[in-house]
mmCIF file of all heavy atoms in Angstrom:
data_model
loop_
_atom_site.group_PDB
_atom_site.id
_atom_site.type_symbol
_atom_site.label_atom_id
_atom_site.label_comp_id
_atom_site.label_asym_id
_atom_site.label_seq_id
_atom_site.Cartn_x
_atom_site.Cartn_y
_atom_site.Cartn_z
ATOM 1 N N TYR A 24 91.493 98.641 67.088
ATOM 2 C CA TYR A 24 91.832 99.075 68.447
ATOM 3 C C TYR A 24 91.980 97.858 69.345
ATOM 4 O O TYR A 24 92.975 97.689 70.041
ATOM 5 C CB TYR A 24 90.741 99.994 68.988
ATOM 6 C CG TYR A 24 91.062 100.645 70.305
ATOM 7 C CD1 TYR A 24 91.864 101.783 70.354
ATOM 8 C CD2 TYR A 24 90.568 100.138 71.507
ATOM 9 C CE1 TYR A 24 92.161 102.397 71.564
ATOM 10 C CE2 TYR A 24 90.862 100.742 72.719
ATOM 11 C CZ TYR A 24 91.659 101.874 72.739
ATOM 12 O OH TYR A 24 91.949 102.477 73.934
ATOM 13 N N CYS A 25 90.972 97.005 69.303
ATOM 14 C CA CYS A 25 91.014 95.787 70.106
ATOM 15 C C CYS A 25 89.954 94.834 69.585
ATOM 16 O O CYS A 25 88.769 95.159 69.608
ATOM 17 C CB CYS A 25 90.757 96.106 71.574
ATOM 18 S SG CYS A 25 90.509 94.622 72.571
ATOM 19 N N ARG A 27 88.714 92.303 70.882
ATOM 20 C CA ARG A 27 87.756 91.913 71.906
ATOM 21 C C ARG A 27 86.654 92.978 72.053
ATOM 22 O O ARG A 27 85.491 92.660 72.244
ATOM 23 C CB ARG A 27 88.495 91.736 73.236
ATOM 24 C CG ARG A 27 87.649 91.226 74.378
ATOM 25 C CD ARG A 27 88.564 90.999 75.581
ATOM 26 N NE ARG A 27 87.892 90.701 76.811
ATOM 27 C CZ ARG A 27 87.572 89.482 77.219
ATOM 28 N NH1 ARG A 27 87.833 88.447 76.462
ATOM 29 N NH2 ARG A 27 86.986 89.298 78.383
ATOM 30 N N LEU A 28 87.057 94.222 71.937
ATOM 31 C CA LEU A 28 86.087 95.314 71.978
ATOM 32 C C LEU A 28 85.084 95.169 70.832
ATOM 33 O O LEU A 28 83.868 95.278 71.007
ATOM 34 C CB LEU A 28 86.814 96.659 71.881
ATOM 35 C CG LEU A 28 85.941 97.904 71.724
ATOM 36 C CD1 LEU A 28 85.081 98.129 72.949
ATOM 37 C CD2 LEU A 28 86.797 99.132 71.455
ATOM 38 N N LEU A 31 82.765 92.234 71.689
ATOM 39 C CA LEU A 31 81.774 92.539 72.730
ATOM 40 C C LEU A 31 80.683 93.451 72.189
ATOM 41 O O LEU A 31 79.507 93.276 72.472
ATOM 42 C CB LEU A 31 82.458 93.205 73.934
ATOM 43 C CG LEU A 31 83.287 92.287 74.825
ATOM 44 C CD1 LEU A 31 84.134 93.098 75.805
ATOM 45 C CD2 LEU A 31 82.392 91.338 75.606
ATOM 46 N N PRO A 188 91.466 89.005 76.342
ATOM 47 C CA PRO A 188 91.717 90.429 76.593
ATOM 48 C C PRO A 188 93.163 90.809 76.292
ATOM 49 O O PRO A 188 94.049 89.954 76.346
ATOM 50 C CB PRO A 188 91.425 90.594 78.084
ATOM 51 C CG PRO A 188 91.179 89.262 78.645
ATOM 52 C CD PRO A 188 91.105 88.266 77.555
ATOM 53 N N LEU A 189 93.387 92.064 76.004
ATOM 54 C CA LEU A 189 94.753 92.563 75.852
ATOM 55 C C LEU A 189 95.439 92.443 77.206
ATOM 56 O O LEU A 189 94.794 92.544 78.243
ATOM 57 C CB LEU A 189 94.735 94.025 75.424
ATOM 58 C CG LEU A 189 93.976 94.340 74.133
ATOM 59 C CD1 LEU A 189 93.970 95.845 73.880
ATOM 60 C CD2 LEU A 189 94.597 93.604 72.952
ATOM 61 N N LYS A 194 95.575 100.618 76.421
ATOM 62 C CA LYS A 194 94.301 100.921 75.767
ATOM 63 C C LYS A 194 93.125 100.699 76.714
ATOM 64 O O LYS A 194 92.106 101.355 76.597
ATOM 65 C CB LYS A 194 94.114 100.008 74.543
ATOM 66 C CG LYS A 194 95.055 100.310 73.404
ATOM 67 C CD LYS A 194 94.821 99.318 72.273
ATOM 68 C CE LYS A 194 95.752 99.597 71.106
ATOM 69 N NZ LYS A 194 95.576 98.607 70.040
ATOM 70 N N CYS A 195 93.279 99.730 77.615
ATOM 71 C CA CYS A 195 92.136 99.344 78.444
ATOM 72 C C CYS A 195 91.583 100.481 79.311
ATOM 73 O O CYS A 195 90.371 100.661 79.359
ATOM 74 C CB CYS A 195 92.473 98.129 79.280
ATOM 75 S SG CYS A 195 92.872 96.697 78.262
ATOM 76 N N CYS A 198 89.179 102.402 77.423
ATOM 77 C CA CYS A 198 88.169 101.678 76.662
ATOM 78 C C CYS A 198 86.807 101.810 77.353
ATOM 79 O O CYS A 198 86.703 101.651 78.564
ATOM 80 C CB CYS A 198 88.575 100.211 76.593
ATOM 81 S SG CYS A 198 87.349 99.152 75.870
ATOM 82 N N VAL A 201 85.528 98.777 79.497
ATOM 83 C CA VAL A 201 86.458 98.153 80.437
ATOM 84 C C VAL A 201 85.750 97.483 81.615
ATOM 85 O O VAL A 201 86.141 96.405 82.054
ATOM 86 C CB VAL A 201 87.526 99.163 80.914
ATOM 87 C CG1 VAL A 201 86.931 100.270 81.737
ATOM 88 C CG2 VAL A 201 88.639 98.466 81.656
ATOM 89 N N CYS A 204 84.302 94.229 80.127
ATOM 90 C CA CYS A 204 85.334 93.300 79.655
ATOM 91 C C CYS A 204 86.149 92.712 80.809
ATOM 92 O O CYS A 204 86.501 91.550 80.800
ATOM 93 C CB CYS A 204 86.223 94.045 78.668
ATOM 94 S SG CYS A 204 87.783 93.242 78.340
ATOM 95 N N PRO A 206 89.379 93.193 81.676
ATOM 96 C CA PRO A 206 90.520 92.561 81.007
ATOM 97 C C PRO A 206 91.523 91.923 81.969
ATOM 98 O O PRO A 206 91.866 90.750 81.816
ATOM 99 C CB PRO A 206 91.167 93.729 80.248
ATOM 100 C CG PRO A 206 90.710 94.963 80.947
ATOM 101 C CD PRO A 206 89.325 94.644 81.465
HETATM 102 S S1 SF4 C 701 89.146 96.699 78.090
HETATM 103 FE FE1 SF4 C 701 91.011 96.300 76.908
HETATM 104 S S2 SF4 C 701 90.847 94.151 76.320
HETATM 105 FE FE2 SF4 C 701 88.834 94.793 76.976
HETATM 106 S S3 SF4 C 701 87.788 95.382 75.133
HETATM 107 FE FE3 SF4 C 701 88.672 97.233 75.970
HETATM 108 S S4 SF4 C 701 90.668 97.430 75.033
HETATM 109 FE FE4 SF4 C 701 89.985 95.346 74.656
#
Side-chain angles (χ1 to χ4, degrees):
Chain A
Y24 188 81
C25 170
R27 185 175 171 89
L28 172 65
L31 286 169
L189 303 176
K194 291 178 180 177
C195 299
C198 173
V201 66
C204 164

